[in-house]
Amino acid sequence: MTDFQALRAFVEAGGTLYCSYDGLAVDGFEELFGVDIVCSSVPQGDAWSLHVPGRESPLSGPLPSPISPLHVKRHLSVSARSAKGMSSSLLVNEYGQGHAVLVTIPFEFCLAMTPYAFEHGCQPYHEVYSFVGKLAGIKGMQAEANPAVETREFSSGARRVIVLANHEPHVHTVSVIVPGGAAQRAWSWRRNAPVRLEEGVLRLKLGPSEGDIVEIT
């Protein structure tokens, strides 16, 4: 079984597969993502635009200037077989028990080649991954719906910790809902001190690009 066949089987069994196009050519691509490829072309202009299902206006951001022929990535023009994707550049195809999600621009390449891509906020980029995460049924903790702050909870036996990471070069004060009883306490490993946990809400400040591990007892 090839890697692509394994991915197709994963989706068919109920998984969610995400792919942003940068020149991929493999047998079965059109079937899995529910599209007919019309053509591919080098992007023009200085900005990308991406329609996300459920969002009225498209997301947008700067297109990088190719440094060499090796850096030229291609946009994909497709005809979507599913009505869900007819007017959108982020296409969702139900395949078997799962979903195949196709972004018709080289999304991650644009991020990687754009200096200070997140300097003015990461909301446009966060919305794409948040959409895919919800489609896949991934339940992450929300820090005041702040896309700049990533939060995850881990537990082992009686120990329980919350890991937080501020992905922006700015200070963020965050509030995270922590399910559990009112008698809980929180301890910051970075500060080696207790942090506020009142009525099931954890409140703390994260410096620029700072992370923390908070233990809940």
Side-chain angles (χ1 to χ4, degrees):
M1 178 182 289
T2 66
D3 289 344
F4 188 77
Q5 288 173 332
L7 288 172
R8 186 164 57 185
F10 164 74
V11 176
E12 195 168 16
T16 298
L17 176 66
Y18 166 86
C19 174
S20 60
Y21 183 82
D22 67 352
L24 176 67
V26 62
D27 184 42
F29 178 89
E30 292 177 299
E31 176 191 354
L32 177 59
F33 290 99
V35 298
D36 293 314
I37 297 177
V38 177
C39 66
S40 63
S41 60
V42 175
Q44 303 297 314
D46 57 5
W48 55 263
S49 180
L50 183 65
H51 293 268
V52 177
R55 181 183 170 89
E56 293 185 4
S57 58
L59 301 175
S60 63
L63 273 176
S65 299
I67 299 174
S68 73
L70 293 176
H71 289 126
V72 175
K73 298 289 183 176
R74 304 180 75 82
H75 285 208
L76 186 66
S77 295
V78 300
S79 172
R81 299 174 186 172
S82 169
K84 293 182 180 179
M86 290 298 289
S87 62
S88 176
S89 295
L90 190 155
L91 309 178
V92 179
N93 185 47
E94 295 182 2
Y95 187 83
Q97 300 298 313
H99 298 89
V101 182
L102 175 65
V103 174
T104 56
I105 64 173
F107 192 58
E108 284 71 30
F109 171 76
C110 292
L111 293 181
M113 296 299 294
T114 302
Y116 309 107
F118 302 109
E119 185 170 306
H120 302 293
C122 56
Q123 187 69 33
Y125 316 111
H126 176 267
E127 287 201 29
V128 171
Y129 301 119
S130 177
F131 174 85
V132 177
K134 291 176 182 177
L135 191 66
I138 298 173
K139 297 179 180 180
M141 302 178 68
Q142 292 296 317
E144 291 185 330
N146 186 342
V149 180
E150 182 179 3
T151 60
R152 289 292 184 273
E153 181 177 337
F154 300 91
S155 60
S156 176
R159 300 195 69 182
R160 181 180 172 204
V161 299
I162 295 174
V163 178
L164 303 99
N166 177 8
H167 292 289
E168 285 190 344
H170 312 292
V171 175
H172 281 279
T173 300
V174 297
S175 299
V176 181
I177 297 175
V178 181
Q184 295 181 114
R185 299 291 182 268
W187 182 270
S188 165
W189 287 12
R190 171 178 284 276
R191 295 164 179 77
N192 194 28
V195 291
R196 293 176 60 191
L197 179 56
E198 299 174 352
E199 299 181 352
V201 179
L202 174 68
R203 295 182 175 86
L204 75 163
K205 182 179 293 185
L206 292 174
S209 303
E210 184 180 80
D212 200 354
I213 299 176
V214 178
E215 184 166 6
I216 308 298
T217 59

